[in-house]
Amino acid sequence: MNFTLDVKKEIVNHGIADNRVALSAYIRASATMGISNGNPTFFIVSETENVAEFFTSAFFELFGAELVITHAEQDRLSGRDKLVFVCPAELSENVLKELHLLKRTGGIRDNISQSLLTTETKQIAYIQGAFLGGGSCILPSETGKSGYHLEIVFSERNTARDFCDLLAQFELIARLTPRKDSYVVYIKSKEQIADFLAVIGAKNSLKKLYAVIEKRDKANNDNRTQNCMSGNADKVAIAAVKQVVAIQKLIDNGDFEELSPELKTLAKMRLERPTDTLQELARRLCVTKSCLNHRMRKLMELAKTEEEK
């Protein structure tokens, strides 16, 4: 089961405080609405069986009638079957009016009726219903090729804009982008997705998200540490090569025998152990790293002076 289905299942199992508001949002996000023969009508498409069952039950409780399954079709992208539900023709207009989906003039609304969102409970119910109807949430794969992404798709730009404003009331910052004939409200920040899951009450899904975040953050930190260590190792190797070259110049120029006993000892040790770090050389010579740094700089300066002569 993917993460989107986990979240939707949790919402359905936990229940929604206002099914009427949630149903309005669900239809807005998953239904095709229009006017047929002068009468408003709509049909709902759902590829999530338990969500479809939840809302057909809610529809019956609210309107005393059943949504009729007309057929099933396969989604070309996901490969999953989608169920198509139709509202009885004689009820469509009344249902759309009750759910605030019709304008006073009789046309289909292209925005969210604010009369549906009079309390925080109703606002959360609307967000839940919209996610159940047109929402998805993708977490990074184990290969790390994808990022965090939550979206809800609407057919009308004004509806999508209103939904962004609704999310903003819960300090959820979403973006809006067109996609073919639809408008997508999306969030890519893992922190904001976590806040979204908290708002809709998906506590178990939130725990799963945090587990993924923790795992990826640890892997990223390990990679950064490894890269840093690798970079430091490269710098140590380059510095050691320069030191060996400098010491060899002193030997070739006949200046080695004029060095102090301490510098001679260090030079010989570096030639014998070209891959050791300065810390390792200091430990072998029983001196501090600071003292050894000073001696090594002296050797390098003497070699440079000889080279400039």
Side-chain angles (χ1 to χ4, degrees):
M1 180 178 290
N2 62 38
F3 189 68
T4 295
L5 297 182
D6 284 345
V7 177
K8 291 185 176 183
K9 182 178 180 180
E10 185 172 4
I11 295 172
V12 168
N13 290 344
H14 185 267
I16 299 175
D18 194 315
N19 285 345
R20 185 175 72 98
V21 173
L23 180 59
S24 178
Y26 178 73
I27 291 175
R28 175 68 76 182
S30 66
T32 296
M33 296 180 284
I35 305 297
S36 177
N37 297 323
N39 297 315
T41 184
F42 68 93
F43 64 88
I44 299 171
V45 179
S46 176
E47 64 179 33
T48 311
E49 186 175 352
N50 65 326
V51 173
E53 290 177 352
F54 176 83
F55 280 108
T56 53
S57 176
F59 186 89
F60 183 81
E61 291 176 2
L62 290 167
F63 302 105
E66 294 184 352
L67 292 169
V68 180
I69 300 177
T70 60
H71 65 283
E73 57 187 39
Q74 191 175 65
D75 186 278
R76 289 180 298 175
L77 295 178
S78 67
R80 292 192 292 268
D81 288 336
K82 298 189 297 184
L83 299 175
V84 180
F85 299 83
V86 175
C87 177
E90 66 276 11
L91 292 178
S92 290
E93 183 173 3
N94 181 58
V95 168
L96 294 176
K97 282 182 179 179
E98 285 291 320
L99 298 180
H100 297 256
L101 295 170
L102 280 185
K103 298 178 181 178
R104 291 181 180 178
T105 57
I108 303 296
R109 295 183 69 101
D110 64 353
N111 61 348
I112 300 175
S113 171
Q114 294 305 304
S115 59
L116 284 170
L117 310 175
T118 54
T119 67
E120 183 176 292
T121 297
K122 293 179 183 294
Q123 292 168 354
I124 293 173
Y126 197 94
I127 296 171
Q128 291 171 319
F131 185 83
L132 290 173
S136 63
C137 187
I138 300 173
L139 303 185
S141 63
E142 292 183 356
T143 59
K145 290 184 178 180
S146 63
Y148 301 89
H149 183 85
L150 184 146
E151 69 174 41
I152 301 174
V153 182
F154 298 95
S155 60
E156 300 291 340
R157 179 185 291 273
N158 288 340
T159 303
R161 284 176 175 170
D162 286 351
F163 193 75
C164 287
D165 292 340
L166 172 59
L167 293 180
Q169 295 186 47
F170 293 89
E171 298 184 357
L172 298 170
I173 309 304
R175 295 183 180 275
L176 170 61
T177 186
R179 181 189 294 164
K180 295 183 179 180
D181 296 328
S182 301
Y183 298 90
V184 181
V185 174
Y186 68 94
I187 300 172
K188 285 187 173 293
S189 160
K190 60 189 177 184
E191 293 82 9
Q192 286 278 287
I193 292 175
D195 290 343
F196 180 94
L197 295 176
V199 167
I200 64 174
K203 295 181 180 179
N204 292 332
S205 298
L206 181 58
K207 290 179 182 178
K208 292 179 183 179
L209 171 62
Y210 280 145
V212 171
I213 292 174
E214 182 178 359
K215 182 178 179 180
R216 280 178 61 84
D217 285 352
K218 183 179 184 303
N220 290 337
N221 288 335
D222 289 345
N223 287 337
R224 283 193 289 270
T225 300
Q226 189 63 39
N227 291 338
C228 182
M229 292 174 64
S230 176
N232 288 339
D234 290 342
K235 291 178 182 178
V236 169
I238 292 171
V241 169
K242 290 180 178 179
Q243 293 158 10
V244 170
V245 170
I247 293 168
Q248 194 62 52
K249 284 180 180 178
L250 292 172
I251 295 173
D252 293 342
N253 293 335
D255 298 310
F256 183 78
E257 295 303 326
E258 298 180 8
L259 298 175
S260 67
E262 293 84 2
L263 294 184
K264 279 185 181 179
T265 301
L266 173 57
K268 290 178 181 178
M269 180 69 74
R270 170 48 88 199
L271 293 176
E272 291 172 0
R273 312 192 71 85
T275 60
D276 277 11
T277 65
L278 292 183
Q279 181 66 55
E280 290 168 335
L281 291 178
R283 191 162 53 245
R284 293 180 187 281
L285 295 174
C286 298
V287 297
T288 64
K289 185 179 178 182
S290 175
C291 176
L292 188 130
N293 274 329
H294 175 74
R295 293 179 185 179
M296 187 62 76
R297 281 197 300 271
K298 185 65 175 177
L299 282 173
M300 299 294 286
E301 289 171 0
L302 289 172
K304 184 177 180 181
T305 301
E306 290 299 320
E307 184 179 2
E308 293 173 348
K309 286 181 179 179

